[in-house]
Amino acid sequence: PWHELPNYLTYARCISIPIFLALSYYPVIMPNRAPVLSLLFAVASITDWFDGFLARRWDVTSPFGAFLDPVADKLMVSTALIVLAGRYGGIVAIPTAVIMAREVGVSALREWMAQRGARDSVKVGMQGKIKAALTMVSITLMLLVPEGVGLESVAWTKYLGVLGVGGAGSVVEGVVNDGLAWMLGPSLLMLFASAFVTVTSGSVYFKAAAPVLLGKE
């Protein structure tokens, strides 16, 4: 039925996670791996917005859908970030750790506040939406960078010491590495921006919850 479409989109996003993970490594030789992974992640990101939009527009929200939607979103983003951290090393691993730590902390805070009937005080705000958009766009662009393109293609990474080394590897047969290599630098900067907004938005939630956390309410 049409009113189940939002839930089906969420299920599809969940199914795309193991597919994304498998395609990140197999087959070993896959000349079009970068655009395939980027497209898969981009489509999953779009469905994250679209299923929520349809559910609200058609007024067909369900408790299960409300639970699964943010879970699927966080799992997809976390999986992509871990794959990229494995490819580029510390320069991606550090913002990844910040983003994932914030998600765990805020999720635990919301659950705790919900038990006390104060979940609305830590509902998603504008900073959280900006963080999500920055993270998804940065990952989509970084996934477009062809295999074999390392951090040496980004001029400013040489000033980061050990963090500026990673991602280099044998050029995969059939892949032209020069065309989209320029996306690595901007996507890294966007990921850093996302990590910064992650911290600031997370602090807003904890500040709002402080009276309850400190027993003043």
Side-chain angles (χ1 to χ4, degrees):
W2 61 269
H3 61 272
E4 289 291 336
L5 181 58
N7 283 341
Y8 291 152
L9 290 174
T10 301
Y11 301 153
R13 195 157 70 255
C14 291
I15 294 172
S16 71
I17 296 171
I19 296 175
F20 175 91
L21 191 57
L23 290 177
S24 296
Y25 301 102
Y26 298 102
V28 175
I29 298 177
M30 184 177 175
N32 295 319
R33 192 189 314 276
V36 168
L37 290 178
S38 181
L39 179 62
L40 181 59
F41 183 84
V43 171
S45 299
I46 292 171
T47 63
D48 177 42
W49 170 83
F50 195 54
D51 59 8
F53 170 78
L54 291 179
R56 291 187 296 271
R57 184 69 179 270
W58 295 344
D59 193 24
V60 290
T61 55
S62 66
F64 183 69
F67 157 75
L68 189 60
D69 181 64
V71 171
D73 167 40
K74 289 174 175 58
L75 288 176
M76 188 67 184
V77 169
S78 298
T79 299
L81 285 173
I82 291 171
V83 168
L84 290 169
R87 182 186 303 177
Y88 295 110
I91 199 170
V92 174
I94 291 175
T96 293
V98 171
I99 292 170
M100 293 179 66
R102 182 266 193 192
E103 294 297 345
V104 172
V106 171
S107 295
L109 177 65
R110 286 182 176 139
E111 180 180 354
W112 188 82
M113 292 292 283
Q115 293 175 359
R116 283 151 182 79
R119 183 180 176 86
D120 285 346
S121 62
V122 288
K123 63 182 179 181
V124 178
M126 182 54 65
Q127 283 197 57
K129 294 177 181 179
I130 293 173
K131 181 270 300 179
L134 277 173
T135 304
M136 290 178 175
V137 173
S138 67
I139 292 174
T140 300
L141 294 180
M142 203 176 300
L143 288 170
L144 267 177
V145 178
E147 293 179 83
V149 174
L151 294 175
E152 72 281 353
S153 66
V154 182
W156 50 266
T157 58
K158 65 184 178 182
Y159 301 108
L160 300 179
V162 67
L163 292 180
V165 179
S170 57
V171 176
V172 177
E173 183 180 355
V175 172
V176 178
N177 287 320
D178 295 335
L180 298 175
W182 65 271
M183 286 189 176
L184 183 55
S187 62
L188 284 171
L189 292 175
M190 291 184 69
L191 186 60
F192 296 156
S194 173
F196 175 77
V197 178
T198 290
V199 173
T200 59
S201 64
S203 65
V204 170
Y205 296 135
F206 279 94
K207 183 178 179 179
V212 179
L213 287 170
L214 298 176
K216 296 181 179 179
E217 286 187 5

